[in-house]
Amino acid sequence: MKSYNGNDHTFVICAYKENPYLEETIHSLKNQTIKSNIILSTSTPNEHIINLCEKYEIPYFVNPNPKSAASDWNFGFDKASTELVTMAHQDDTYEPNYVEEILKAANQNKKDDTILIFTDYYEHKLGKKETSNLLLNVKRIINFPLSLQCFWSNRFVRKRTLSVGCAICCPTVTFLKKNVPFPLFDTKYKNSCDYMTWVILAEEKGAFIYLRKRLLGHRIYAESATSLNISENIRVKEDYEILCHYWPKAIAKLINSIYAQSEKSNKV
């Protein structure tokens, strides 16, 4: 089995328009205890993005055929040439030991059949660091079984966790590229493309690994795509459709309504 190191990992920053938090995200990637590769992918090239890429010597790629967030993510994912890939959102920050912990987990799985590794996270909200709220606590309970090595490769367990809502935070996820299909992200959905991707990957043979460490700060603010999609009920509609893969419509509707209550913490 190969032993993975920083040269085997790439952060792909998914940048859109002129986001005021992009430089803070870049700082968090540059300040990792184990250095890895950083590239940027965008479908909206502008001076703000280009200047930051030049300032921090980050290669950038422009999607010539932008269609959706999922298509942008697929484009960026394809540009990463390493075996381990993390899709970094432009408004989130990573703890300095994120890469270190991801590599440790990848090397711990001696079968080398890792599909994805994801972590716990906290929220940046209204200028404060929030480590515990209803949504975060619900997600931690749902994900707990996947923190146990005996369940890493258990498809039944991972499907049961996904059957009660999307508890995997997309920017915390690192993929082992050789073990996932391409295109990776489902392009049918506007908001829940990541959730549908987890559902598809859950059917594959291999490991889902959850690290119970808060290694990412997920920013919650009114202009974020997540907050906008929740306010417009896009997420509720799409999550319901995905839950119907696991349940009869009445049960899916009930689960979705309960889970949606916990997501109120994403509104500011």
Side-chain angles (χ1 to χ4, degrees):
M1 173 190 161
K2 176 176 179 176
S3 180
Y4 295 102
N5 59 51
N7 293 326
D8 300 312
H9 175 268
T10 298
F11 283 111
V12 180
I13 305 172
C14 303
Y16 184 71
K17 295 185 176 179
E18 297 184 356
N19 189 282
Y21 303 110
L22 177 57
E23 188 165 19
E24 190 174 343
T25 298
I26 292 173
H27 281 162
S28 74
L29 306 186
K30 287 284 187 177
N31 290 330
Q32 293 292 304
T33 56
I34 294 180
K35 306 303 179 186
S36 66
N37 305 284
I38 306 171
I39 65 173
L40 182 143
S41 171
T42 184
S43 59
T44 58
N46 56 68
E47 286 189 11
H48 176 65
I49 290 174
I50 294 172
N51 288 341
L52 286 175
C53 286
E54 291 177 348
K55 177 180 179 180
Y56 292 100
E57 300 181 326
I58 296 173
Y60 66 91
F61 302 89
V62 179
N63 184 0
N65 299 302
K67 297 177 181 178
S68 63
S71 67
D72 286 346
W73 294 353
N74 285 330
F75 174 81
F77 184 80
D78 189 45
K79 292 301 179 183
S81 59
T82 56
E83 295 184 70
L84 295 165
V85 181
T86 305
M87 305 302 293
H89 295 190
Q90 65 183 355
D91 35 24
D92 296 329
T93 58
Y94 291 78
E95 290 297 297
N97 59 331
Y98 176 86
V99 172
E100 181 179 345
E101 294 295 339
I102 290 295
L103 293 174
K104 189 184 301 181
N107 289 327
Q108 187 178 350
N109 182 16
K110 301 304 181 184
K111 293 181 180 179
D112 201 28
D113 65 348
T114 300
I115 296 173
L116 58 83
I117 303 166
F118 68 104
T119 80
D120 195 359
Y121 69 101
Y122 57 90
E123 293 179 345
H124 292 298
K125 187 187 298 182
L126 301 176
K128 296 180 180 180
K129 179 178 178 179
E130 191 168 305
T131 59
S132 181
N133 57 42
L134 179 59
L135 178 62
L136 291 173
N137 293 337
V138 167
K139 287 187 174 186
R140 287 164 186 156
I141 292 170
I142 293 172
N143 287 327
F144 176 76
L146 297 177
S147 69
L148 305 175
Q149 190 167 355
C150 60
F151 290 139
W152 283 358
S153 298
N154 190 309
R155 282 178 280 188
F156 175 81
V157 169
R158 75 175 68 136
K159 286 190 285 186
R160 294 289 66 78
T161 65
L162 290 166
S163 73
V164 291
C166 182
I168 298 176
C169 179
C170 185
T172 74
V173 177
T174 291
F175 303 92
L176 188 52
K177 204 168 188 180
K178 66 181 181 180
N179 292 335
V180 299
F182 186 82
L184 177 60
F185 292 99
D186 189 282
T187 57
K188 177 182 176 181
Y189 298 97
K190 181 178 180 180
N191 178 86
S192 301
C193 54
D194 55 341
Y195 187 9
M196 191 64 219
T197 295
W198 316 146
V199 170
I200 293 169
L201 293 179
E203 300 288 345
E204 300 292 327
K205 186 176 181 180
F208 271 44
I209 301 174
Y210 171 51
L211 304 182
R212 294 172 61 202
K213 297 181 179 182
R214 297 165 190 163
L215 299 178
L216 177 126
H218 182 49
R219 196 177 303 278
I220 306 296
Y221 59 106
E223 297 81 15
S224 72
T226 299
S227 295
L228 290 173
N229 288 336
I230 289 175
S231 67
E232 296 172 9
N233 286 324
I234 294 172
R235 168 171 276 184
V236 172
K237 294 174 184 177
E238 293 184 349
D239 282 4
Y240 167 70
E241 185 175 327
I242 294 170
L243 285 167
C244 287
H245 285 261
Y246 293 113
W247 305 99
K249 290 183 178 180
I251 297 177
K253 185 176 182 179
L254 176 61
I255 292 173
N256 199 35
S257 64
I258 294 172
Y259 193 79
Q261 291 299 311
S262 68
E263 288 187 326
K264 288 183 176 180
S265 64
N266 269 335
K267 296 181 179 180
V268 291

